[in-house]
Amino acid sequence: MVKEQIVDGFQNAPHRSLYHALGLTEEELNRPLIGIVSSYNEIVPGHMNLDKIVEAVKMGVAMAGGTPIVFPAIAVCDGIAMGHTGMKYSLITRDMIADSTEAMALAHGFDGLVMVPNCDKNVPGLLMAAARINIPTIFVSGGPMLAGRVNGKKTSLSGMFEAVGAYTAGKIDDAQLKNCEEHTCPTCGSCSGMYTANSMNCLTEVLGMGLSGNGTIPAVYSARLKLAKHAGMQVMELVRKNIRPRDIMTEASIRNALTADMALGCSTNSMLHLPAIANECGVTFNLDMANEISEKTPNLCHLAPAGPTYMEDLNEAGGVYAVLKELEGLGLLDTSVMTCTGKTLGENIASACNRNPEVIRTTDNPYSRTGGIAVLRGNLAPDGCVVKRSAVAPEMLVHEGPARVFDSEEEAIAAIYAGKIRKGDVVVIRYEGPSGGPGMREMLSPTSAIAGMGLDKEVALITDGRFSGATRGAAIGHISPEAVRGGLIAYVKDGDRISINIPAYSITLQVEEAEIEARKASMPIRKKEDIKGSLARYAAMVSSADKGAIINTFK
């Protein structure tokens, strides 16, 4: 593309003059031009090391005969944005990242791309862009943070949020809170549990778009720099063979990713991102696939927040490929799919080995016989809702209780901290959906407050917003349709009985149909009138959560 449209021929002399203005030599212009999409910035802990990753990628590209050229992608730190207006801007950046990368790549005619993301929305945003642009592309992330150490025990960001709930409940004092604050996040990198960033970086390996170790090698390990160099070299092989993202991200590879998701116990946010990626690949993704795959896929990993292991432990145990090797033994994967290595998935995992069956359970000793995520349906969510089943206490898998209804996250947090939530309650947080939020905020603060106060085994939360990958407990998100679009969640009242049965995939508001119809006639839908700019545009164009909160295109 570059040689024909931008560099070669007398008609492209103006273009070449601008390349000369960049200081590029004739030799560099005669090589494939490789765009390196850098998510580096100085505000996101998972991105502060990406300058070093990018330099390693550049070296790999150059060693393999290409010309590397860097351009940026934005990023929001979900942890810093949590619990306030900033979180409204997290999910919407996924589409901003995809759109801006598409614009940069196609405007400048690169021969190939290396995507260097790390945190929550950069990975799916750049995977969406890769499918849309469809030129040879490979991913290398910045890697996970090492686990923190507090009082001799490993911990992570979810523990820090829960410490706030414990402090509020008088379970820890100022000094203990300060100790947690200073030792929970000890290094750069994406937060150390199986939260959204690490979930998506691991699934990038399964999709075939990243090399082995992309999801698990810690950010501070030198092996991460070696991986980046190999990614830079490998993109040149993809260019030579013209292997493109949509050759790799097929219906079969997306099913593989969902299967691995179930085994790994990934974030519920993957149920927003996989549909959005599938949409860009021209693949139909139905939420019911999740339960179908879950029924036959064992949950093999309990990484934080579901259990006491962390990304560094998964890496040492053999990483994502070791998990895939376990699943291959059950015939759950299509191992014939092509990957960015130029080999099939089966060839990639042939020599993989599970080095620690305490971290990666074997298939004859799983944490559960079913996968880590469940999609529930019922009158409260006829289009579906999502729960991280692997992070729910056994006693909360089936629950019934009275609704405590809040029209925003802030209202719910205030009630939780004021001690107004009782054992058995079902906390309902509405008007936080993709359009109603707008932006579908994560609800880590209320779930962590409840867990920190010791109520996570006695209280359920449901929302048309979403939950962080760091959330544990009976936290059910993505209620569809959402409140602002007339979903039944808009008409729930305090005291209504809500029944949840995760093994049966059901969620029900126990109110008579006649009463529901009367409420619809008397309870107006609340719409925010003060939104503007990118949030207003997003609210008008975004789909429901069950479709992946994608931006609708109008023809």
Side-chain angles (χ1 to χ4, degrees), residues 260-275:
D261 185 312
M262 296 298 173
L264 286 163
C266 291
S267 164
T268 52
N269 281 311
S270 64
M271 299 305 293
L272 287 174
H273 301 323
L274 286 176

Side-chain angles (χ1 to χ4, degrees), residues 258 262 271 286-297 370-371 373-377 385 389 502 504-506:
L258 188 52
M262 296 298 173
M271 299 305 293
N286 188 310
L287 275 189
D288 291 330
M289 289 168 52
N291 292 343
E292 170 211 333
I293 290 174
S294 176
E295 285 294 336
K296 55 189 177 183
T297 306
T370 52
I373 286 177
V375 173
L376 315 183
R377 292 185 188 271
C385 57
R389 171 165 47 185
I502 294 173
Y505 305 120
S506 71

Side-chain angles (χ1 to χ4, degrees), residues 203-269:
L203 295 184
T204 298
E205 287 190 48
V206 188
L207 285 167
M209 293 298 292
L211 300 176
S212 177
N214 179 70
T216 61
I217 297 172
V220 295
Y221 283 13
S222 297
R224 177 62 57 178
L225 297 177
K226 293 180 181 179
L227 181 72
K229 291 174 186 176
H230 283 128
M233 289 185 271
Q234 185 58 27
V235 76
M236 296 302 299
E237 189 68 15
L238 295 175
V239 170
R240 280 188 281 271
K241 294 181 177 179
N242 195 29
I243 298 174
R244 302 181 180 222
R246 290 205 293 270
D247 299 325
I248 295 171
M249 291 192 288
T250 61
E251 181 176 356
S253 66
I254 289 168
R255 284 185 68 91
N256 284 345
L258 188 52
T259 302
D261 185 312
M262 296 298 173
L264 286 163
C266 291
S267 164
T268 52
N269 281 311

Side-chain angles (χ1 to χ4, degrees), residues 3 108 122 340 384 484 494 506 547:
K3 297 295 290 178
H108 300 107
N122 293 82
C340 66
V484 79
D494 275 349
S506 71
K547 299 295 191 297

Side-chain angles (χ1 to χ4, degrees), residues 402-404 406 412 416 421 425-429 450 459-463:
R404 296 298 313 281
F406 305 96
I416 293 166
I421 304 303
D425 284 350
V426 178
V427 176
V428 178
I429 307 176
I450 283 175
V459 171
L461 295 92
I462 68 172
T463 182

